[in-house]
Amino acid sequence: MDLLRWGRSPWGEWVLTHVSWNLFWGSLFAGVLFLVAHASYMLFSAHRKRTAAETDALEASRKDLPAKIERHGLTARLFHWVMAAAMFVLLFTAFLPVVGVKFPWVQWHWIAGLVLTASIVFHIIHATFWLDFWSIWVGPKDIPEMKAELLREFGHDVPGPKSGKYPLGNRLYRLAFVVTGLAVVATGMFMLVRVRTPLFVRNPYLFGDATWGVTYVSHGLAGVGLVGLVIAHVYFAVRPEKWWITKSMILGWITRRQYLEHHEPSRWPVGSGPSQAKPAGRV
Ligand code: HEM
């Protein structure tokens, strides 16, 4: 099975040109397989959660907390939904032609690409200066949480830390998303120079054939990777036990009870007061 496609340059050399669309089907299949495997696993998982009685006791002892706790500010929510819309347009414009739906996709694709790029640049600036930049990253400091989560998965009642603002799974997913997202944006911006747009005069000679080939292949690889990642993301967003998180991406807040049930207050401290969290919020 071919994974990459090759062509002859005007000088007769073999150069990479594109990824093979087999990879698109592979990524689609892997995404669907993942959700079937995860859904089956969840039927049997012994995951140890805080019981209702424990959460009741915690709630009784933390009456100082606001009833609604802000999880995502308006700007962060707008960014999320603009990025999601751009991402769907990009995926559909790129892959509908592969499944046989023919239309002039390139124009819609690069316009959505510019929207995605602008939203990411905006988000980096917003997260750096207004939000807690590190609350979403994963590092050695998370090893105790990882161990505790694994033991809870096997039904053990362990005292190790629960998550801060973002559960470990979210943060690992985000890392994969950042790497593939940045790769697709960086390569896409170079590819834009090669196509006809009203923005500037196209320049297909910016790179040699071999470099263009590597750029198209990297863009294609990151693009097919995003197919699987987006399937996994949507799957988790629609799972009933995650609705409280999805709802917070629409409304912006979670309840005090959800906060105490799912988080380690020392790792995501929230100010007392009528309605607000400390400004630890981000997407
Ligand atoms: C979800 C994100 C994206 C996906 C899944 C995606 C996917 C793809 C795919 C599969 C192709 C065809 C590549 C080939 O023929 O080898 C392509 C082409 C292209 N993409 Fe993207 N892309 C994404 C984001 C972007 C972004 C952010 C830009 C930036 C403007 C962009 C600009 C382009 C351009 C200019 C082309 C070339 C069209 C041509 O030469 O005919 N893409 N994309």
Side-chain angles (χ1 to χ4, degrees), residues 75-281:
T75 318
R77 278 178 282 149
L78 282 176
F79 157 73
H80 177 271
W81 294 114
V82 168
M83 187 190 68
M87 190 60 96
F88 277 106
V89 174
L90 283 160
L91 286 171
F92 281 104
T93 49
F95 297 116
L96 280 180
V98 176
V99 298
V101 183
K102 303 289 178 202
F103 63 103
W105 64 275
V106 176
Q107 183 189 341
W108 298 106
H109 188 79
W110 67 253
I111 293 172
L114 288 183
V115 174
L116 179 74
T117 308
S119 72
I120 290 177
V121 170
F122 169 79
H123 175 60
I124 293 173
I125 298 170
H126 183 228
T128 308
F129 295 107
W130 281 275
L131 303 172
D132 175 7
F133 190 82
W134 297 112
S135 66
I136 194 86
W137 294 99
V138 198
K141 66 176 184 347
D142 297 305
I143 291 174
E145 184 188 338
M146 208 174 289
K147 275 191 193 155
E149 280 299 315
L150 273 177
L151 287 169
R152 284 185 197 119
E153 209 48 57
F154 291 106
H156 297 284
D157 184 7
V158 285
K162 287 184 88 68
S163 67
K165 184 165 183 196
Y166 293 97
L168 195 60
N170 284 31
R171 282 175 286 147
L172 287 170
Y173 174 84
R174 160 141 177 151
L175 204 59
F177 198 78
V178 165
V179 172
T180 37
L182 288 182
V184 90
V185 164
T187 49
M189 292 310 275
F190 283 115
M191 287 154 75
L192 191 57
V193 177
R194 208 179 148 159
V195 297
R196 206 174 298 280
T197 71
L199 305 175
F200 40 71
V201 180
R202 67 188 283 264
N203 177 11
Y205 307 108
L206 179 69
F207 297 143
D209 292 318
T211 312
W212 275 126
V214 172
T215 309
Y216 272 69
V217 166
S218 310
H219 192 77
L221 285 176
V224 292
L226 283 167
V227 172
L229 285 175
V230 168
I231 292 177
H233 186 74
V234 173
Y235 161 74
F236 281 116
V238 299
R239 279 194 66 90
E241 80 273 12
K242 306 280 183 202
W243 283 350
W244 66 279
I245 300 191
T246 309
K247 215 171 121 191
S248 77
M249 191 46 92
I250 300 167
L251 301 176
W253 49 265
I254 57 173
T255 62
R256 173 171 49 212
R257 188 174 180 84
Q258 287 161 343
Y259 169 74
L260 291 168
E261 196 177 352
H262 301 283
H263 299 280
E264 194 70 52
S266 62
R267 300 183 75 199
W268 177 25
V270 164
S272 41
S275 70
Q276 283 309 310
K278 273 190 185 165

